[in-house]
Amino acid sequence: MSGFGPSSAPDAVALVLGSLPGVASLHAVQYYAHPRNAFWPIMGELVGAAPSLPYAARLQRLVDARIALWDVFARAERPGSLDSAIVDATAQVNDFAAFFAAHPGVRTVLLNGGKAHAAFRRFVLPSLDVSPTLIALPSTSPANASHRLETKTAAWRKALQAAGVAVRG
């Protein structure tokens, strides 16, 4: 399966990375399209990118907040949607050298879940000419039921603030 291109603007200061879109996202051709994924409810509370908005408007709210959105992997084999099912031997990472060259203000990478964090550190970080601050965050996936929405939102709020993003509340 193949992922999507980045949603970003040249003035971005933070990059949010998942691992690879799941089945619902691939079918909808939208990041975090699963109805129980907490990403858009969290971004709704923090930067006004509520799930009730049309998808393009949500992406624009992230851009306006200077948040870029992408995935670690450009493509990989994965039966289903679980990150644990990604076959690392088939994975190809996105072109992060080009991304960071085009987005020089991105100093913080927010990693949505353990797989994104581990994959970025293993497959991407050693080849980068830049050294962004990495912040591992609890996955917004519905498979991550060990954290309540309030806990996830608090962690994401703190991370966005650390990255220099103006958040609500």
Side-chain angles (χ1 to χ4, degrees):
M1 66 180 56
S2 295
F4 311 133
S7 171
S8 62
D11 68 340
V13 297
L15 171 60
V16 172
L17 292 176
S19 57
L20 187 69
V23 173
S25 292
L26 291 169
H27 283 133
V29 192
Q30 297 180 2
Y31 282 105
Y32 303 107
H34 192 288
R36 289 192 336 262
N37 192 296
F39 183 79
W40 292 116
I42 290 169
M43 290 301 120
E45 181 171 332
L46 300 180
V47 298
S52 59
L53 293 173
Y55 181 67
R58 285 181 268 155
L59 292 179
Q60 187 59 51
R61 294 280 173 98
L62 293 182
V63 166
D64 292 346
R66 303 188 317 157
I67 300 168
L69 183 60
W70 208 11
D71 286 307
V72 174
F73 297 121
R75 64 185 49 83
E77 289 181 23
R78 174 176 62 187
S81 295
L82 293 177
D83 281 354
S84 60
I86 292 173
V87 180
D88 284 348
T90 67
Q92 292 181 314
V93 297
N94 278 308
D95 186 351
F96 287 97
F99 179 88
F100 283 107
H103 302 84
V106 172
R107 303 269 189 261
T108 305
V109 177
L110 308 175
L111 296 143
N112 189 354
K115 181 67 173 190
H117 182 240
F120 190 84
R121 291 183 66 85
R122 178 177 173 198
F123 298 116
V124 179
L125 199 56
S127 65
L128 287 180
D129 291 335
V130 297
S131 298
T133 299
L134 304 182
I135 302 177
L137 289 159
S139 174
T140 60
S141 168
N144 179 19
S146 63
H147 292 92
R148 296 179 356 173
L149 179 60
E150 297 79 16
T151 304
K152 291 178 186 182
T153 302
W156 280 83
R157 177 186 310 279
K158 182 178 177 183
L160 287 173
Q161 288 172 330
V165 173
V167 298
R168 296 176 169 195

